[in-house]
Amino acid sequence: MTALQYDPHEIEARWQDIWAEERTWEVANTHDAAAHANDSYVLEMLPYPSGEPHIGHLKTYSVGDAIAHFHRRLGRRVLHPMGYDAFGLPAENHAIKTGEHPRLSTAVSIASFQRQFRSWGISIDWSRELATHEPSYYRWTQWIFLELFRSGLAYRKEAAVKWCPHDQTVLANEQVDADGRCERCGHLVEVRQLEQWFLRITDYAERLLGDLETIDWPANVKTMQRNWIGRSEGAEVTFRCDELAIDYPVFTTRPDTLFGATFFVMAPEHPDVLRLAHGTEHEHEVREYVNVALNESNQERGDVERPKTGVPLGRRVTNPVNGEQIPMYVADYVLMEYGTGAIMAVPAHDERDHAFARAFDLPIRRVIEPAGGSDAADDDALPYTGDGVLVNCGSDFDGLPNRDALAEIVRWLDREGNGHASVNYRLRDWLVSRQRYWGAPIPILYCEDCGVVPVPDDQLPVQLPEIDDYTPKGRSPLAAVEDWVSTNCPACGGRARRETDTMDTFVDSSWYFLRYCDPHNDLAAFDPDALREWMPVDQYIGGVEHAILHLMYARFFCKALADLGHLDFQEPFQALFTQGMVTKDGAKMSKSRGNVVSPASIVERVGADAARCYILFVGPPDQDADWSDAGVDGVHRFLSRLWRLGAETAERGGAASGPPHGDAGAQGDDLVLLRKAHWAIDKVSGDLRRFAFNTAIAAVMELLNDCSRLRDSADVEMLRFALATGASLLFPFAPHVSADVFERLTGERVWETSWPSAEEELLERDVYELVCQVNGKLRDRVQAATGASADELKELCLAAPNVQAHLDGNEIVKAIVVPGKLVNFVVRPAVSTVSF
RNA sequence: GCCCGGGUGGCGGAACGGUAGACGCGCUCGAUUUAAAAUCGAUGGCCUUGACGGCGAUUGUGGGUUCGACUCCCACCCCGGGCACCA
C-alpha cells in the first residue's frame, strides 16, 4: 500500500479551483417572491481594506462560512457576498505620508484580501463583489444622501462640533471616546463652531429603541443600543423670568421634586446667558466664566469628580408650583446638548445640585421623606434620591407617595399651562461632514442666488477629483481644487460652488447589504424586488466593536428608506452574532507588541482547513480566544488522521462504490460505530444552530477516535459510512479536506448532498449505564434496559455491590428514580449510635 | 457610580438541577526507529507493587434551597466590557 500523506496545500488548491471554475457559490436573483421563504442571506461585516487580512478576519469569515454552508445543505439558497469598505482615514493618511493615491494602496490591499479569501476557501458569491469607493457604488450613496436631504432628514447647521486637531477633521459624537479623545488617533478633541451636515437620526430614537424587541440580537448589544439612545421620561416645566419676560422650559425626570427647586442653572453655551447677565453686577464675571468653559476640553469638563463651579446671572425665575423667585446661575455641569440646556436645581434630591448648593451656600429644601421615617429622614442623609412621601409641598400634595405625586403634578402643570409630560433622548443627530479627501463627496452645491441646491440625480456621481496634496489644512483638500469647486447652478445656471466635505464612511457601510442584492444595477441603488427576495439579512456576523455605531446607523437607514417608500422592512439584520477577539499571549495583537499572527503564515504551515477549524475549536466563538500555535497543530493532526483513515478506508473498501449507508441490522462494533455516527449528526446539527462550533468539532473528533479504535474490528462498509458522515459534518468548518475525504469514500460532492439527519432509534440505546447513588454520591454503575420500570431500576441499583456496601446497616428513607439516568437512595443510620 | 458579561485541572475549554473535567494542548512514560521527526498507546490527588478495585477533596469566597448544585437564590471578592455631571 502506498504511504498516504495528508497534503493540505494540494487538496485545498484543487478544490478551490473547482469552486472558482464552476462558480459554485453564485446565486442568481429569481425575481420570484415565493422563493424568498427558502432563501437565506448570510452576511459578515465587510472588511476595511488596509494592509493584509488579520486573524480577526479569519475568525469572522470562518464563522460566517460555516453558517452559509450549513444553510445551503439544509436546502436553502444562500446569498453570501463580499465587498470592501474602501473609503477612510488610514488610506488617506498613507497618502499624506507617501503621496501615493489612496486608490492605489486600497487596490493593493483589496487584492490581498481577495487572494486570501480564496485561499481560505470561503464560499463567496464573487459575482456580487463591490467596493464603496467605486463611483458605481458611491453614486448611490450620494443618491441616498439626497433622498434624505429632500425629505428633511439631512440638514445643515452651525454647531459646536468635535474637532480632531491631528486628523484635521470633525468627528461624530460617537467617534470621541470617554476621555474626550479621537477614537482613531487618540488626540484630545477640541470644540469648533462650524457649518456641518447632520442626519436626523434623533427622529428615529423611539423606533430604534422599540424595534429592538423585534430582532434576534445578543442581549448585551441591545443593552448598549438602549443606553446609547438613552430614553428618559419626565416633564417639561416652564420657569418664567419676569424681569425680561422670557419663559425658560426645563426637562426633568423628577417633577415630583418641583417644590424643592431652590435655584436654576443654565449651560455656558446657552444663547441667552450673556443677555441675561447684561446690565447686572455679574456681567463681567459671567462673560469670563463662559469663555473659560467653552475653551475647556470635554475631558476636563466631563470629569464627575471635579468641584462644581458657576457664576450667578443676577436674575431670577419663578417656580410655577409655588411662585417662588429663585436665583439663576450659569454652570458648566449643565449640558447644552441635553434637554433644553437649562435645569431646575433640587439640591435635596440630586447629587449634582446638592454639591453645587453646598459650594454656593444655597438653600436645600427636602420635599421627599422616606416612607417609615428612618435614618434617611435626617437632613445629613441628603441628597436623597429614593422614593418616599412628599413634604413641604403644600396641602394638595403633602403626604402623597412621590410616584403618585409625579403624575399628579404633571397633570397640574398641564392644566395651568406651565408644562407637560415629555420624553428626552441622549441620542444626538449624526454629524456626517468630514473635511477629508478619501470619501464620497456630499452632492450639494451652493448657488449665489438659489442657496443650497442638491446635485440633480442625472449628474451623479459627483466624482472625486484627482489631487496632488492630501495634507489637511483645516478644510477639505477638495476645497483647493478650484476648477472642481467652481461650477454652475443646475437651477438658475448662475455661479455655484460645490460642497467640499465628504461623507463619514459609516454612511457608505449603512446600506451596502442592500446593494449586494442587486449589485450591477445602474438605473437605481437597488430594485425593490431584489430586496424582497433577500432582505432582511438572516444572519449577520461581526465584531462587537460595531455594537453601537455601524449597527445603529444601518438600522436608521433602513427605517428612513422604508419611510421614503424604497423598502418594505424596518430592520436590516434579523439575527446578529458578535464574535470575540483573537488575542496572542492574552493581549490584543499589534505590531508594537510584536505578537501578530498572520493568517497567511498559518495557512502556509498547516493549511486553511486547520487554521479555520482551530479558530472555531479553541472556544465559544462569541468569547475572546487566545491563539496558540500548539493548538493549531493539534487540529492539523486531527485533520491528518481523518484524511489518512478516509483515504485508506476508501482504498480498502473499493472506493466510490456509491453512497454508504448505515446497516440497520448492524451488530457489535458495527453498531457502536453506527450509533456514534448518528450521535455525531445529532450533536453537530444542534451545535451549529447555537453557534457552538467548538463542541461540534469535538464531536467529529470523538467519532473519528471511535473509527480509529474500531478500524480493524468493524466492517469496512460501516467504517466507510462513519468516516463519510464525519467528513460531511466537518465540511462547514474544514471544507477542502472534508470534500476530499467524502469524495474518496462516496464518489460524491459533499456540498451537493443534503445535511445528514439522525435516526431517532439509533440515538436511543436498548441498554444504558444506570448511575447508582447513595445520599447523592456516586457509588456504582450498572447496566439497565431502556424502558425498565422505576421498581426494576431500584432493584438493579440495590443489587449493585458497592451500593450494598454503602447501605450496610442503614435505613433507606427515600429513593429517587430518574429513568434513563440514575437512582439515588437517601439513607440514615438505622441505629442512632452517637459516638465521637 | 450605574448596566451587562465572566471566574471550572498545568493551559484552552465541556457539562437539559442528575457520573464534574468531553474534546484538544502541554507534561511524563512506553511502542515503532540505528536515531530523530512523524505515528500509535498509556499514566495523570491519595491508598494499592501494579492492574482491578476502593477512598477523599474539588467548579472565586461565605451562606441558602434541594434527595442531589458548576448550574437556582442571597451576600461578598476578583477580572473583562459598555455608559457616565444626560437633570
Side-chain angles (χ1 to χ4, degrees), chain A residues 254-276:
Chain A
R254 295 296 304 275
D256 52 323
T257 64
L258 197 42
F259 284 89
T262 54
F263 58 102
F264 187 95
V265 192
M266 295 181 115
E269 295 88 351
H270 196 290
D272 284 5
V273 163
L274 296 177
R275 176 147 69 114
L276 283 159

Side-chain angles (χ1 to χ4, degrees), chain A residues 228-529:
Chain A
W228 194 259
I229 294 166
R231 183 182 197 274
S232 295
E233 277 186 33
E236 209 165 279
V237 185
T238 305
F239 285 70
R240 186 172 180 79
C241 176
D242 290 319
E243 284 172 279
L244 300 181
I246 306 174
D247 284 340
Y248 287 109
V250 300
F251 174 75
T252 177
T253 54
R254 295 296 304 275
D256 52 323
T257 64
L258 197 42
F259 284 89
T262 54
F263 58 102
F264 187 95
V265 192
M266 295 181 115
E269 295 88 351
H270 196 290
D272 284 5
V273 163
L274 296 177
R275 176 147 69 114
L276 283 159
H278 182 73
T280 74
E281 55 182 314
H282 301 288
E283 181 172 357
H284 179 68
E285 206 187 342
V286 167
R287 195 176 294 279
E288 263 187 2
Y289 182 80
V290 168
N291 274 338
V292 171
L294 259 44
N295 285 315
E296 255 174 338
S297 77
N298 278 26
Q299 185 192 23
E300 291 168 309
R301 235 184 106 173
D303 187 355
V304 191
E305 296 302 316
R306 80 180 203 159
K308 294 282 176 286
T309 61
V311 176
L313 288 170
R315 305 281 182 185
R316 292 175 174 272
V317 287
T318 309
N319 183 341
V321 286
N322 55 15
E324 273 181 7
Q325 295 287 305
I326 58 174
M328 300 178 83
Y329 284 79
V330 55
D332 65 4
Y333 81 92
V334 174
L335 308 174
M336 190 61 217
E337 315 91 84
Y338 188 77
T340 61
I343 61 154
M344 66 175 209
V346 185
H349 304 290
D350 180 277
E351 308 255 359
R352 298 149 302 176
D353 297 345
H354 189 262
F356 190 86
R358 294 295 284 264
F360 288 79
D361 204 20
L362 289 159
I364 298 170
R365 184 194 308 139
R366 174 192 282 280
V367 291
I368 293 176
E369 246 166 27
S374 59
D375 292 348
D378 197 326
D379 278 358
D380 290 343
L382 293 176
Y384 173 69
T385 55
D387 288 334
V389 295
L390 265 58
V391 294
N392 300 321
C393 292
S395 54
D396 287 350
F397 298 108
D398 275 350
L400 280 180
N402 68 303
R403 294 286 145 194
D404 300 342
L406 192 152
E408 204 54 52
I409 289 174
V410 171
R411 271 196 292 277
W412 182 88
L413 288 167
D414 214 357
R415 224 165 33 235
E416 301 291 317
N418 288 321
H420 52 85
S422 171
V423 173
N424 243 281
Y425 301 92
R426 211 194 72 110
L427 186 71
R428 313 266 193 269
D429 275 341
W430 175 13
L431 168 55
V432 295
S433 303
R434 295 292 180 274
Q435 293 70 47
R436 299 302 297 245
Y437 173 73
W438 194 229
I442 294 174
I444 291 288
L445 303 171
Y446 302 101
C447 169
E448 287 170 5
D449 295 323
C450 313
V452 177
V453 180
V455 173
D457 285 355
D458 61 10
Q459 291 177 27
L460 296 180
V462 175
Q463 294 238 23
L464 268 179
E466 299 298 310
I467 63 170
D468 303 320
D469 184 5
Y470 304 96
T471 318
K473 299 179 176 69
R475 56 175 195 172
S476 168
L478 294 181
V481 191
E482 186 51 39
D483 59 350
W484 180 82
V485 173
S486 177
T487 185
N488 293 324
C489 172
C492 70
R495 282 156 53 86
R497 298 184 67 77
R498 289 188 190 278
E499 167 68 61
T500 59
D501 286 353
T502 53
M503 285 185 244
D504 182 1
T505 55
F506 277 111
V507 177
D508 308 329
S509 56
S510 292
W511 74 281
Y512 75 103
F513 42 88
L514 304 176
R515 184 68 178 171
Y516 281 142
C517 299
D518 194 13
H520 308 297
N521 194 332
D522 51 12
L523 300 175
F526 41 76
D527 175 355
D529 277 342

Side-chain angles (χ1 to χ4, degrees), chain A residues 10 75 125 311 328 333 421 512 549 565 633 642 655 680 692 697 713 753 822:
Chain A
E10 184 276 324
D125 178 351
V311 176
M328 300 178 83
Y333 81 92
Y512 75 103
L549 302 189
D633 287 345
L642 173 66
I697 293 167
S713 57
T753 67
L822 56 79

